[in-house]
């Protein structure tokens, strides 16, 4: 009964280290919004059950978000992740309708947009697959690249436990 042994085959390991994405809301132009809505943004990874809500910008089609912590989000992401931004019109009763949606692919973020050198990105907002305006966010990625890394053979040797 061996407590640990080396396997006789080689295992190739691709390491995809998560990177830290910093995203801050800057402004939006809500071309298709009705009237002058009170708006906020839900931010999170696409499909997230608990997105973060920004502060409310009142009575405007051109909201500018102040630099509060509530208007920033930090996520651990991989290259194939997507961040979803949903601009919603606040209603006192009922569900807050969506004014526009933006999907930001992590792979689209310029390589120069790093922590300490954040860059503005302006993205289209869509509603029912039609252009509804635009949103500008300040983005920066921290951490290494997404390139696969080879581990040394010693680090790849699996440990086999036998009862």
């Amino acid at each position: 009964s061996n407590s640990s042994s080396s396997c006789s085959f080689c295992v190739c390991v691709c390491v995809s280290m998560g990177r830290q994405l910093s995203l801050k809301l800057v402004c939006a132009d809500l071309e298709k919004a009705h009237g002058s809505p009170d708006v906020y943004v839900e931010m999170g990874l696409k499909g997230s059950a608990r997105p973060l809500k920004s502060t409310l910008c009142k009575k405007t089609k051109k909201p500018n978000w102040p630099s509060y912590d509530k208007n920033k989000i930090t996520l651990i992401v991989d290259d194939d992740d997507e961040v979803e931004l949903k601009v919603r019109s606040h209603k006192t009763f009922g569900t807050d309708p969506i004014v526009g949606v933006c999907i930001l692919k992590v792979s689209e973020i310029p390589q120069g947009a790093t922590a300490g050198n954040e860059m503005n990105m302006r993205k289209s907002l869509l509603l029912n697959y039609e252009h509804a305006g635009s949103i500008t966010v300040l983005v920066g990625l921290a951490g290494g690249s997404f390139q696969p890394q080879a581990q040394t053979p010693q680090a790849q040797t699996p440990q086999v436990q036998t009862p």
Side-chain angles (χ1 to χ4, degrees):
S1 65
N2 294 340
S3 60
S4 74
S5 66
S6 297
C7 291
S8 59
F9 57 89
C10 180
V11 179
C12 181
V13 177
C14 255
V15 179
S16 176
M17 299 298 288
R19 298 173 73 188
Q20 183 172 295
L21 169 66
S22 166
L23 184 144
K24 177 192 169 298
L25 295 174
V26 177
C27 60
D29 186 356
L30 309 174
E31 299 165 21
K32 304 285 182 173
H34 299 289
S36 295
D38 295 344
V39 294
Y40 65 93
V41 179
E42 291 178 340
M43 307 174 275
L45 287 177
K46 187 174 179 184
S48 171
R50 304 182 80 177
L52 183 74
K53 283 186 181 179
S54 75
T55 56
L56 191 66
C57 288
K58 295 194 173 201
K59 301 193 183 325
T60 182
K61 283 188 172 187
K62 295 187 182 276
N64 286 288
W65 283 275
S67 293
Y68 300 149
D69 285 345
K70 201 170 180 184
N71 298 325
K72 300 174 189 171
I73 190 169
T74 303
L75 300 164
I76 301 301
V77 296
D78 286 318
D79 198 26
D80 57 352
D81 283 334
E82 297 176 335
V83 178
E84 186 173 50
L85 305 171
K86 286 184 187 173
V87 182
R88 290 187 175 266
S89 177
H90 175 70
K91 300 287 181 202
T92 306
F93 300 104
T95 305
D96 294 345
I98 295 172
V99 178
V101 177
C102 165
I103 301 295
L104 173 64
K105 294 180 179 178
V106 172
S107 59
E108 294 175 346
I109 296 172
Q111 288 191 340
T114 58
N117 187 39
E118 290 87 357
M119 292 183 176
N120 277 336
M121 285 186 75
R122 187 176 180 91
K123 297 284 291 175
S124 285
L125 289 168
L126 298 178
L127 186 61
N128 301 323
Y129 303 101
E130 292 182 5
H131 181 78
S134 61
I135 190 165
T136 301
V137 292
L138 188 68
V139 294
L141 276 170
S145 71
F146 292 112
Q147 300 304 313
Q149 301 172 6
Q151 291 186 340
T152 61
Q154 295 83 4
Q156 320 187 58
T157 306
Q159 297 299 312
V160 178
Q161 300 288 333
T162 41

